[in-house]
Amino acid sequence: MKDLIIPNDRDMGTPAKTGAPVTLEIDGMAVTVPEGTSVLRAAAEAGIQIPKLCASDNLEAFGSCRLCVVEIEGRRGTPASCTTPVTPGMVVHTGSSKVRKIRKGVMELYISDHPLDCLTCSANGDCELQDMAGAVGLRDVRYEAPENGGMVNHFEARNTSGEANPEWLPKDDSNPYFSYDPSKCIVCNRCVRACEEVQGTFALTIQGRGFDSRVSAGNAGDDFLASDCVSCGACVQACPTATLQEKSIIEMGTPDRSVVTTCAYCGVGCSFKAEMNGDELVRMVPYKHGKANRGHSCVKGRFAYGYAHHKDRILKPMIRDRITDPWREVEWDEALSFAASKMRGLQETYGKKSIGVITSSRCTNEETYLVQKLARAVFGNNNTDTCARVCHSPTGYGLGQTFGTSAGTQDFDSVEQTDVVVVIGANPTDGHPVFASRLKKRLREGAKLIVVDPRRIDLVKSAHVAASHHLPLRPGTNVAVVSALAHVIVTEGLINEEFIRARCDWDEFQHYAEFISNPRHSPEATAMLTGVDPAELRAAARLFATGGNGSIYYGLGVTEHSQGSTTVMGIANLAMLTGNMGRPGVGVNPLRGQNNVQGACDMGSFPHELPGYRHVKGPEVRKVFEEAWDVQIDAEPGLRIPNMLDAAVDGTFKGLYCQGEDILQSDPDTKHVAAGLAAMECIIVHDLFLNETANYAHVFLPGSTFLEKDGTFTNAERRINRVRKVIPPLNGYADWEITQMLANAMGAGWTYAHPARIMEEIAATTPSFAGVDYALLEEKGSVQWPCNEAHPEGMPLMHIDAFMRGKGRFIVTEYVATDEKTGPRFPLLLTTGRILSQYNVGAQTRRTDNVVWHEEDLLEIHPHDAEVRGLKDGDWVRLASRAGETTLRAKLTDRVSPGVVYTTFHHPDTQANVITTDYSDWATNCPEYKVTAVQISLSNGPTDWQEDYAAQAAQARRILPAAE
Amino acid sequence: MSPEKMVHMANQIATFFKTQPGGDQAARIAAHLTDYWEPRMLDQLHAHVDAGGKGLDDLVIAAETEIVKTHIRA
Ligand code: SF4
Ligand code: SF4
Ligand code: SF4
Ligand code: FES
């Protein structure tokens, strides 16, 4: 199963086009290609490889190397085939003696300024310059340095008499993952174009002209690390030579095979080729046929996989009786029977419902499915939840109520056809980088952007991208702003009545229209509250309603509020009001934080829903699973994560199996979480590292990384992607096997032999997955659910002719201020987020070289707020809320508005969640991470809590030396 | 869970449904509570109502009455 045939990912030279068919003749062969295609690509389609150096099929043709010249009948000279579009009836000769001679001359020139150390070069065997020298039959190089004329090359540091060569530049090794060796550069410009066209960062330029031209990162004097480079790796991949090269390849050599798999970081779900040398992973390269990423990646997926081999990784099971004891390494059998008897014992003493599970959205679908099955079928209760609780549960509720399903409505390709994009409470360049690159590409083509965010995120203004409108609202006022946008659209008559009449419940719409037209929702009336300029808001609403295809992308800045679910409904209202639904370029798109948030929700890990979003109260649904599993299923919903912790403090919840999730660090109100964990009698942590939650655990089951197992992830566009085993599990077992062993230790009798068997069970029980199986995934690469008889190949777009629930529902969205209010003691609002190089609680990324970009969490403060408190950039500040206090360093910036402070939560020492409170979304209990009233003041170092915490953590992490 | 937290959560739900059209708010709150609250949370609500329902929105109290009618107490 692992040896999937990788579809041809040959470089076709120039991008594919979609025009009307054009037929031409190349070397006597008739070729038909879409209008706009280059001659180079047309030849490649016909199987003819024209030599090329500066062209690549992910970049617009540039025409600088002149290696791809051809002869065209009736045209003078020898045009470059990469920049020449096909015309009907054109007759092309690609291999005449004339063009061969030109190509040889071109190569001779290149090679004369290139070191001839191919055998020891890190790109040996993986170098297009080498390939082309072979292809054109270059046998000798006649150019020689003129005698006494100085040196005319870039690659020798000194001449034979020891004088320094002013043209020679040293290697730039500042980036931890790739190196830049200017001596091997052929100035083909591919890297520069990749950074511009693919990544959209514009970090690279060509400095100088002619012989003096050099690739340069940032301004003169910058190295890669100091430049704007975000280390996405696109330039490295584009480089035809060893100039830009992964350090892993330099160290380990070139790969000999590859396995296609899926990134385990964010919800974009990029496909990668894991390139192997023997059984060693030497490089991850974004996979060209990956439908989410189309050959692009970000620094995390591309480079930050080294945590798999980090020394902190735990590979042996461990147990202990009390959390004050040191850990004791044991064999799997002992750990599992210890865990099983503890859990069963708790159920005997405290009742069936006294234990539960938490799964992570980092786990595969198959793993998540098994973990919720463990709760429902083996524990006999519905106490199963997932960390999606704390991020996108309001999406589930809000979109479920309005459209009938929580699913995002589009695929990522849809962004290529959008005209107006609204980004609300999301920071794609950091959180969803590859989507951001695709979005920026569309913006550079002319689409308009509206950003609704308290912070001036990068998208608001960056290289060649600027938002038409930025609405910097006060944290906690999303509903007021979204309602004001709707107010403008309705009262100014900008609605799409035809769509609403055809697709939505008209009575509900009329009620809604009356509600939203009330002047109290106008931008002018709410400006005091939201802090948003009413004129700007009106302009934004008009643009969205009238600017063509309008799409909305939103993130955790929408959901993680007391009114998270209400804002999601408001967003759905905006899309329905303007008829932006059911075709490419429009829609409502939740940007999911972690890789498998979508899948975790689909797989029934919420306590009230069986797989496929079906409430446990439904007897027909329970029957499906009762028959499949041969058990009784509880008809009452189970506990959600915050409820589990509350029940633990109350003494009725005693045991927890926590797979791949670090609730102590990631959940709000750390002190409350710690109290809940401390009150439990058996916590089983199943993870890669001794995470923060493990400080309170009694059993540690070592987990496997995404490189070590088979399974599937479902990304933010509902795309089910395969995860393939690349190396054997270092801990001995894949995670699904461990859950199965635990279940069996508790008497389950499960016999899954492969995750494919688990997927068969999912398909058999869950209608939206009925058509999914591993064979289909092998064949198609990926599919977007629903995938069943009605949609055998899945569904890229949802709600095309009708909403999933039938008629779309307009729901009244009254703004209710959060109870988290600023006042004299806590006058500022804290909001939280994430940055590009780190991922969630940072357990993985902190254990890679990504730390060079983010050593610690910083508190962003507006200079005005800092000044009145006497704070300077870099000062330690005490950050306090009614829940607790912590310290971290200040960063003064006007990205945040006065009155607002901002931080990330990637580092456990910061303990940002000591500050966040236990307020939560009214419908789903999704915590209100994004709004906390705080005060800041100068401090001289860590708080007592931070120090106590560090001491407790050090104590709890002790491991006894293995018994001899 | 502290009584204040339970009351806060229940009232938040009532606050939303209060803004919705129709005359069946109590029933909708009751449905939301039975759909999402685990029985021991509902028990806590029942106990709180039995003890006078301090701090609870009237609609929550009405909803609790509905729940008692339709839902067997754990
Ligand atoms: S790694 Fe990415 S951002 Fe950095 S220079 Fe290369 S293409 Fe640009
Ligand atoms: S660094 Fe590589 S891609 Fe960039 S110009 Fe030089 S040879 Fe071309
Ligand atoms: S972290 Fe997200 S954007 Fe980056 S490579 Fe992984 S899936 Fe793609
Ligand atoms: S490949 Fe066409 S000019 Fe370089």
Short mmCIF file of all heavy atoms in Angstrom, two decimals, chain A residues 178 191 194-195 199 201 203-204 224 228-236, ligand 1:
data_model
loop_
_atom_site.label_atom_id
_atom_site.label_comp_id
_atom_site.label_asym_id
_atom_site.label_seq_id
_atom_site.Cartn_x
_atom_site.Cartn_y
_atom_site.Cartn_z
N PHE A 178 18.38 25.86 5.11
CA PHE A 178 18.97 25.79 3.77
C PHE A 178 20.14 26.76 3.67
O PHE A 178 20.26 27.68 4.46
CB PHE A 178 17.94 26.05 2.67
CG PHE A 178 17.27 27.41 2.71
CD1 PHE A 178 17.86 28.54 2.16
CD2 PHE A 178 16.00 27.54 3.28
CE1 PHE A 178 17.23 29.76 2.18
CE2 PHE A 178 15.36 28.78 3.31
CZ PHE A 178 15.98 29.89 2.75
N CYS A 191 14.54 31.61 -8.29
CA CYS A 191 14.29 31.80 -6.86
C CYS A 191 13.53 33.10 -6.62
O CYS A 191 12.59 33.15 -5.82
CB CYS A 191 15.61 31.80 -6.09
SG CYS A 191 16.80 32.98 -6.72
N ALA A 194 10.04 32.64 -7.67
CA ALA A 194 9.30 31.76 -6.76
C ALA A 194 8.89 32.53 -5.52
O ALA A 194 7.76 32.41 -5.04
CB ALA A 194 10.15 30.55 -6.38
N CYS A 195 9.80 33.34 -5.01
CA CYS A 195 9.48 34.10 -3.81
C CYS A 195 8.35 35.09 -4.08
O CYS A 195 7.50 35.33 -3.24
CB CYS A 195 10.73 34.80 -3.29
SG CYS A 195 10.49 35.48 -1.64
N GLN A 199 5.26 32.30 -3.32
CA GLN A 199 5.14 32.59 -1.90
C GLN A 199 4.53 33.97 -1.66
O GLN A 199 3.80 34.18 -0.72
CB GLN A 199 6.51 32.45 -1.23
CG GLN A 199 6.64 33.07 0.15
CD GLN A 199 5.63 32.53 1.16
OE1 GLN A 199 5.12 31.44 1.00
NE2 GLN A 199 5.32 33.34 2.16
N THR A 201 6.25 36.77 -0.95
CA THR A 201 6.95 37.53 0.09
C THR A 201 7.88 38.60 -0.48
O THR A 201 8.17 39.60 0.16
CB THR A 201 7.73 36.55 1.01
OG1 THR A 201 6.78 35.78 1.74
CG2 THR A 201 8.61 37.28 2.01
N ALA A 203 11.08 38.60 -0.93
CA ALA A 203 12.28 38.78 -0.11
C ALA A 203 13.54 38.85 -0.96
O ALA A 203 14.57 39.35 -0.52
CB ALA A 203 12.40 37.63 0.89
N LEU A 204 13.49 38.32 -2.18
CA LEU A 204 14.71 38.22 -2.99
C LEU A 204 14.69 39.21 -4.13
O LEU A 204 13.65 39.51 -4.69
CB LEU A 204 14.84 36.80 -3.56
CG LEU A 204 14.90 35.65 -2.56
CD1 LEU A 204 15.00 34.32 -3.29
CD2 LEU A 204 16.06 35.84 -1.61
N PHE A 224 19.93 35.82 4.76
CA PHE A 224 18.57 35.27 4.63
C PHE A 224 17.78 35.44 5.92
O PHE A 224 16.62 35.82 5.91
CB PHE A 224 18.62 33.79 4.22
CG PHE A 224 18.55 33.61 2.74
CD1 PHE A 224 19.69 33.72 1.97
CD2 PHE A 224 17.34 33.36 2.10
CE1 PHE A 224 19.64 33.58 0.58
CE2 PHE A 224 17.27 33.21 0.73
CZ PHE A 224 18.41 33.32 -0.04
N ASP A 228 13.33 39.53 4.89
CA ASP A 228 11.90 39.23 5.08
C ASP A 228 11.58 37.76 4.85
O ASP A 228 10.43 37.35 4.97
CB ASP A 228 11.05 40.03 4.09
CG ASP A 228 11.02 41.50 4.46
OD1 ASP A 228 11.32 41.81 5.63
OD2 ASP A 228 10.71 42.32 3.58
N CYS A 229 12.56 36.99 4.45
CA CYS A 229 12.35 35.58 4.11
C CYS A 229 11.59 34.87 5.23
O CYS A 229 11.92 35.00 6.40
CB CYS A 229 13.70 34.90 3.90
SG CYS A 229 13.59 33.10 3.85
N VAL A 230 10.57 34.10 4.86
CA VAL A 230 9.81 33.34 5.86
C VAL A 230 10.14 31.85 5.78
O VAL A 230 9.43 31.01 6.34
CB VAL A 230 8.29 33.58 5.71
CG1 VAL A 230 7.95 35.02 6.03
CG2 VAL A 230 7.81 33.20 4.31
N SER A 231 11.18 31.53 5.05
CA SER A 231 11.71 30.16 5.01
C SER A 231 10.70 29.14 4.50
O SER A 231 10.64 28.01 4.98
CB SER A 231 12.22 29.75 6.40
OG SER A 231 13.02 28.60 6.30
N CYS A 232 9.93 29.53 3.50
CA CYS A 232 8.95 28.60 2.96
C CYS A 232 9.60 27.53 2.10
O CYS A 232 9.02 26.47 1.87
CB CYS A 232 7.92 29.35 2.12
SG CYS A 232 8.60 29.97 0.57
N GLY A 233 10.78 27.84 1.59
CA GLY A 233 11.50 26.85 0.79
C GLY A 233 11.18 26.87 -0.69
O GLY A 233 11.73 26.07 -1.44
N ALA A 234 10.30 27.77 -1.12
CA ALA A 234 9.94 27.77 -2.55
C ALA A 234 11.14 28.06 -3.43
O ALA A 234 11.29 27.49 -4.51
CB ALA A 234 8.83 28.79 -2.81
N CYS A 235 12.01 28.97 -2.97
CA CYS A 235 13.18 29.31 -3.79
C CYS A 235 14.14 28.13 -3.87
O CYS A 235 14.76 27.89 -4.90
CB CYS A 235 13.89 30.54 -3.22
SG CYS A 235 14.38 30.35 -1.50
N VAL A 236 14.22 27.39 -2.76
CA VAL A 236 15.15 26.26 -2.72
C VAL A 236 14.69 25.20 -3.72
O VAL A 236 15.48 24.62 -4.46
CB VAL A 236 15.20 25.66 -1.30
CG1 VAL A 236 16.16 24.50 -1.24
CG2 VAL A 236 15.57 26.73 -0.29
S1 SF4 C 1 12.40 30.63 1.52
FE1 SF4 C 1 10.46 31.43 0.72
S2 SF4 C 1 10.31 33.45 1.62
FE2 SF4 C 1 12.44 32.83 1.85
S3 SF4 C 1 13.46 33.69 0.08
FE3 SF4 C 1 12.86 31.59 -0.42
S4 SF4 C 1 10.88 31.79 -1.43
FE4 SF4 C 1 11.27 33.72 -0.37
#
